[in-house]
Amino acid sequence: MKKYIIFCGYAGLKGSLILAKKYREDLDRYFNKVYIESIEKHVKENGYYGRYLSPINNDRPECAPVDINSIFSEVNGETLDVSEGGILKVLYNLAKSRGCGFEIEIKKISTIQICIEICEYFGINIYRLLSEGKIVLSEDAISACKYLEERGITAQVIGCLTDSLDKVITDKETVEYVNRPLQDEIFKVIKDEREDIIGN
């Protein structure tokens, strides 16, 4: 059966937050101050995955803090971490290791507008930027997404695995192929402190 690719979280959010903090003065000269602060506000209130998931401002005080790993352990499908190198690195490595391909629609990958603009400011690719997310591979994408969304996680079907070796991104009428991932895009901006950045 076809395996669908579900992305949970927001592309490049973790990397964008790091850049917003480290280069705050530069960004404040280009963007509205409140707009830049909205990244940190989003993470504090919503976590990296969606509603209800912040360890700081849990808006369900009657409940215990949300345990991300326990939620994903019960999902109908296989789960992979999205971290260094972003979502495209994870998908490339997945396809390479299994001798398959994939086809995804780039516009279906959840992003936050200010993160897109920060990436444009630094000239980097948000889909290859440090993230805090998950990919779920499931034959029943509808039930998997329903399960995740009921628990406050942003989940979106972005494509599927294929029998060919092609690693394809579609954007309306445009088709691109994913190349071998290099270093995380954040290191095009920050040249040092690698371990501190990735482990942050």
Side-chain angles (χ1 to χ4, degrees), residues 46-169:
N46 304 300
Y48 288 108
Y49 293 90
R51 296 169 53 241
Y52 305 147
L53 302 181
S54 171
I56 300 170
N57 295 328
N58 185 358
D59 59 359
R60 295 188 302 174
E62 74 282 1
C63 300
V66 173
D67 182 346
I68 290 291
N69 291 329
S70 68
I71 291 174
F72 281 102
S73 69
E74 300 294 328
V75 72
N76 178 20
E78 179 184 352
T79 304
L80 303 169
D81 290 327
V82 179
S83 55
E84 182 179 354
I87 185 171
L88 293 186
K89 180 178 181 179
V90 176
L91 289 174
Y92 182 95
N93 289 341
L94 167 67
K96 196 76 174 174
S97 67
R98 301 195 181 187
C100 67
F102 61 79
E103 184 172 334
I104 61 170
E105 293 183 50
I106 202 74
K107 295 297 185 186
K108 289 190 175 180
I109 298 174
S110 298
T111 56
I112 296 173
Q113 184 60 32
I114 182 57
C115 297
I116 294 172
E117 294 183 37
I118 285 176
C119 288
E120 290 175 349
Y121 176 85
F122 287 111
I124 58 179
N125 185 335
I126 195 170
Y127 305 109
R128 295 186 182 276
L129 180 62
L130 179 64
S131 302
E132 177 76 28
K134 303 280 188 187
I135 283 175
V136 175
L137 303 175
S138 179
E139 295 176 354
D140 187 354
I142 293 175
S143 67
C145 284
K146 183 174 184 291
Y147 166 85
L148 292 165
E149 288 167 356
E150 285 176 347
R151 287 154 181 81
I153 292 177
T154 298
Q156 177 70 43
V157 178
I158 63 171
C160 62
L161 299 182
T162 61
D163 292 331
S164 76
L165 296 178
D166 293 334
K167 303 164 187 65
V168 179
I169 298 173

